[in-house]
Amino acid sequence: MSSYPIQCLATGVIPQKLPTPLVHLRSLDFHEFGLCFGKEVDLLSILLLVTSSPNVEKIIMEMEQHPTEAVSQTTMNLIDHQDYSHVILDRLRILQILSFSNMKSGMDFVKLILAKSPMLRKVVISLNNGIDIHGKVSILTEMIQYPRASAKAEIIIH
């Protein structure tokens, strides 16, 4: 799947969940879509596809960085203000995020996935090149405190 379906979602109001769940979808690979956790439309589109895919086993994505663009307060707090009580990702085993930064919306996304994935085994975070050792320690320190639905979920940051 290319980024075209996500661009179509961006043309109107994005619902919190699809009318028909994507039950046959086993893998979501967003890493070449050019999506940014700092853009509300991109974040809502990712959340819609992830939360509408109850049988997804693997999610791969890349956080595109736009340092010159301001991130709105709405976008930064988007996940906090949405109701995801209906979401359970029973089959998700692997989450991989490339070019990760400590942007609040990205951290909140990982927090949501950890809380909603009882079978999660591995979270692999490849940090953006601009993150120094102090940033890496800060991200890891915060993530290990997040509640997890899976006691076996391993967080790997490099």
Side-chain angles (χ1 to χ4, degrees), residues 12 14 36 38 47 66 74 92 113 115-116 120 122 130 133 148:
I14 299 174
C36 178
L47 288 166
H66 298 285
T74 304
L92 184 63
I113 296 297
K116 298 295 184 175
L120 190 65
K122 192 182 285 188
I133 190 68
R148 300 180 200 184

Side-chain angles (χ1 to χ4, degrees), residues 123-135:
V123 176
V124 180
I125 306 286
S126 298
L127 295 176
N128 179 298
N129 291 337
I131 305 282
D132 64 7
I133 190 68
H134 300 294

Side-chain angles (χ1 to χ4, degrees), residues 31-80:
H31 91 275
E32 292 184 9
F33 279 17
L35 299 173
C36 178
F37 275 83
K39 291 183 179 177
E40 185 174 353
V41 169
D42 289 357
L43 184 57
L44 283 170
S45 298
I46 291 168
L47 288 166
L48 173 64
L49 290 173
V50 169
T51 59
S52 297
S53 305
N55 296 322
V56 70
E57 297 172 1
K58 184 176 188 178
I59 299 171
I60 301 172
M61 56 190 2
E62 184 171 2
M63 287 179 77
E64 194 165 290
Q65 308 298 317
H66 298 285
T68 57
E69 288 184 26
V71 178
S72 73
Q73 199 66 31
T74 304
T75 303
M76 286 197 334
N77 296 316
L78 187 66
I79 294 175
D80 292 338

Side-chain angles (χ1 to χ4, degrees), residues 137-149:
V137 169
S138 174
I139 290 169
L140 183 59
T141 302
E142 187 171 339
M143 281 189 187
I144 62 173
Q145 295 178 32
Y146 290 160
R148 300 180 200 184

Side-chain angles (χ1 to χ4, degrees), residues 35 95 117:
L35 299 173
L95 171 66
S117 308

